[in-house]
Amino acid sequence: MTAQTERQPIWTQALLKKQQRLEPVELSVEGRLTRMVGLTLEAEGCPAAVGTSCDIVAPGNQHIEAEVVGFSGEKTFLMAMGDSRGLVPHAKVIPSTHCSEVKISDAFLGRVIDGRGRPLDGRGPLRANHAVPLAGTPINPLDRQPIKQPLDVGVRAINSMLTVGRGQRMGLFAGTGVGKSILMGMMTRFTDADVTVVGLIGERGREVKEFVQDILGDEGMKRAAVIAAPADSSPLVRIHGAMLATAVAEYFRDQGKNVLLLMDSLSRFAQAQREIGLSISEPPATKGYPPSVFARIPQLVERAGNGAPGQGSITAFYTVLTEGDDTNDPIADAARGILDGHIVLSRQLADMGVYPAIDIESSVSRVMPMVVNPQQLANSQRIKNLYSLYQQNRDLINIGAYQAGSNPAIDEAIALYPQISRFMQQGINENMNFTMSQQQLQQLAAVKAAE
C-alpha cells in the first residue's frame, strides 16, 4: 500500500482493499437454474448484464432462449422468449456477452415477421446482414430536422382537419370495434410515404391474418413490412416486437426515406412491460402499472421522428386502447403527454355509421400550424367550431327545444352540419389525397348558412 493510501481514513483503506480484491466478471461462466415462479426464471452463478440473452439447456439437449430482465444479489432474473416447458431445476444457463439485436435489410418489405425477426408468411428465410440493436441508437434532439412538411395519409378528415407533419408522433385513441384497424389499413394503402412499417403487438392471431390479407391486401404489402407479436406470445416477445418494428423504421429512415410507422397497440406494449415488472416483484404504482411502464413508453416513442440532416423521417401512429372508452386511463394519459397530438375515434359516431369515426372536437394535431398555410388553418378552425357548437347543443336541437333565430352561430351550425358530416365520412377504398382534401375543405368553409 502506498504512503498516500496510508494517510487516508481507515474505512477508505478498507474499501480500496476490497476493490483491489474484486476480479472482472466473466460472462461466459455457466450458471444453474434454481427457481421458476410464474414467468420469471432465477439463476445463480451466471452474472450477466440486463438485456443480454442466455441459453438454457434443458434435458434432451433442448435449448431455450431467455433474456436477463433483472438481478438481486447473486440471483439473476430471466424470462424465456418462447415456451418454457421442459425446464427442470439446475438446468444449465449459459450467458452471452451481447445485448439483443436483429438483422435487417430491404428484404423485410412485403414480409410478415414475428417479434424475434423470424418470417411468419412461409415465404422462405429472410436475407438480412445489417445488424442493429433492438434498443436503437439515440439521436441528439438538436440534430433532428424540424417538422416542416405535411404527410399525405389519404384520409380526408386527417389531411384537412388534423394535418400530420413528416416526423410527427400521433396517438390513435379508440375503444374496441370502432374501426381503428380499418383506418390504419387505409393509411397504409393511401399514404405517400416511401415505406410503411406496421407493428401488430398483442393482437389476436385471427386479426393479424385479417389485417394482412383483407385490410392491407397485395397492393398494401408491396411497400410495407409487418411485425406481428400476437397475444399468445410471451411478454418479452411482445416488447421485442414493438422495438423491432421501430428498428425497421429506423433502418429505412437512415436511408433517407420517409417512413410511416403504425403500431397497434401502445397499450399492449405497456401491458407486456407490466407483466415483466410485476413478475420480478416491481411494486405497482398507478392502477397496477409499475413505474418501469411509464419509463418504457417515452423510450419507445422518442425513437420515431425526423432524423439528422441527410436522413429521412418516421411519422408514427400509436393506437391506445381506451378501456370502457375512458380516454383518461394511465396509459392514455401518459401517451397524450408525450405524443405530438391525438386522434380520438368516437363510439357514438361509429354506432351512427360514420366511418372513419373521427371525433374532430376531441382530436388535435399539435404541429398542424407549422405544416399548412394560414388559409387551411382558418378553414379547419371554422369547420371545427361549427361542429363543436352543434354537438354542444345537440340535445336541445333533437328535442325541438331550440328556437331557430335565437343564435345565428347555432343556426349556421345546424344548416351546415349535414355537409360537415358527409365531409368527415370516407369509403374504405376511397383515396383522398392532400390536395383534394384541401380543396374540398375550402369549398365547405366557403358555404354560407343561407345557401
Side-chain angles (χ1 to χ4, degrees), residues 371-419:
V371 297
V372 300
N373 58 57
Q375 184 60 53
Q376 181 182 347
L377 186 61
N379 291 337
S380 65
Q381 290 175 343
R382 166 176 161 76
I383 298 304
K384 189 171 184 178
N385 288 338
L386 291 174
Y387 179 87
S388 179
L389 190 60
Y390 182 89
Q391 294 297 334
Q392 292 171 8
N393 296 273
R394 186 184 189 93
D395 293 338
L396 293 176
I397 297 170
N398 288 339
I399 66 176
Y402 175 76
Q403 297 295 324
S406 302
N407 187 318
I410 298 178
D411 292 340
E412 185 177 21
I414 295 173
L416 296 184
Y417 181 77
Q419 298 181 56

Side-chain angles (χ1 to χ4, degrees), residues 17 90 131 135 213 220 250 295 297 308 329 338 359 372 413:
K17 290 179 180 178
H90 307 296
Q213 293 186 351
E250 289 172 328
I297 291 176
D329 77 327
I338 195 172
D359 183 359
V372 300

Side-chain angles (χ1 to χ4, degrees), residues 201-250:
I201 311 302
E203 294 294 314
R204 293 183 289 270
R206 174 185 60 82
E207 290 182 333
V208 172
K209 184 174 182 179
E210 289 179 354
F211 186 87
V212 172
Q213 293 186 351
D214 301 335
I215 298 178
L216 273 183
D218 295 337
E219 187 65 27
M221 281 296 299
K222 288 181 180 179
R223 53 174 179 169
V226 178
I227 289 82
D232 59 346
S233 304
S234 74
L236 202 57
V237 171
R238 280 175 268 153
I239 292 286
H240 282 198
M243 297 170 68
L244 174 58
T246 308
V248 173
E250 289 172 328

Side-chain angles (χ1 to χ4, degrees), residues 60-282:
N61 202 30
Q62 177 186 5
H63 290 259
I64 297 175
E65 184 181 358
E67 182 175 304
V68 179
V69 295
F71 57 85
S72 176
E74 300 297 325
K75 297 179 180 179
T76 302
F77 300 141
L78 306 103
M79 185 167 290
M81 296 289 291
D83 192 357
S84 58
R85 285 181 296 181
L87 290 178
V88 296
H90 307 296
K92 186 185 300 183
V93 180
I94 306 174
S96 66
T97 58
H98 64 274
C99 291
S100 298
E101 62 180 16
V102 66
K103 293 183 178 180
I104 305 175
S105 71
D106 292 351
F108 273 50
L109 292 179
R111 301 298 299 271
V112 182
I113 306 149
D114 70 3
R116 302 170 67 180
R118 304 175 302 186
L120 287 173
D121 50 15
R123 294 172 51 192
L126 285 165
R127 294 180 175 87
N129 52 14
H130 183 76
V132 296
L134 273 177
T137 303
I139 299 178
N140 188 325
L142 298 181
D143 291 340
R144 290 184 182 269
Q145 301 177 77
I147 300 175
K148 294 295 183 182
Q149 296 181 328
L151 177 72
D152 184 1
V153 296
V155 180
R156 178 169 49 214
I158 299 177
N159 282 342
S160 59
M161 304 293 296
L162 302 163
T163 308
V164 177
R166 291 183 178 179
Q168 184 175 0
R169 290 84 52 89
M170 291 283 284
L172 190 60
F173 291 65
T176 56
V178 294
K180 61 177 174 56
S181 297
I182 294 177
L183 178 59
M184 289 175 59
M186 292 172 64
M187 289 191 288
T188 303
R189 296 195 308 272
F190 302 150
T191 182
D192 66 352
D194 301 317
V195 174
T196 303
V197 179
V198 181
L200 301 176
I201 311 302
E203 294 294 314
R204 293 183 289 270
R206 174 185 60 82
E207 290 182 333
V208 172
K209 184 174 182 179
E210 289 179 354
F211 186 87
V212 172
Q213 293 186 351
D214 301 335
I215 298 178
L216 273 183
D218 295 337
E219 187 65 27
M221 281 296 299
K222 288 181 180 179
R223 53 174 179 169
V226 178
I227 289 82
D232 59 346
S233 304
S234 74
L236 202 57
V237 171
R238 280 175 268 153
I239 292 286
H240 282 198
M243 297 170 68
L244 174 58
T246 308
V248 173
E250 289 172 328
Y251 169 80
F252 288 108
R253 178 194 63 191
D254 294 344
Q255 294 182 359
K257 297 180 179 180
N258 295 314
V259 182
L260 177 62
L261 171 63
L262 303 173
M263 189 168 296
D264 186 15
S265 68
L266 190 64
S267 298
R268 300 280 166 74
F269 170 82
Q271 290 169 3
Q273 179 59 34
R274 178 174 62 181
E275 293 178 36
I276 295 174
L278 295 178
S279 68
I280 58 175
S281 302
E282 185 180 0

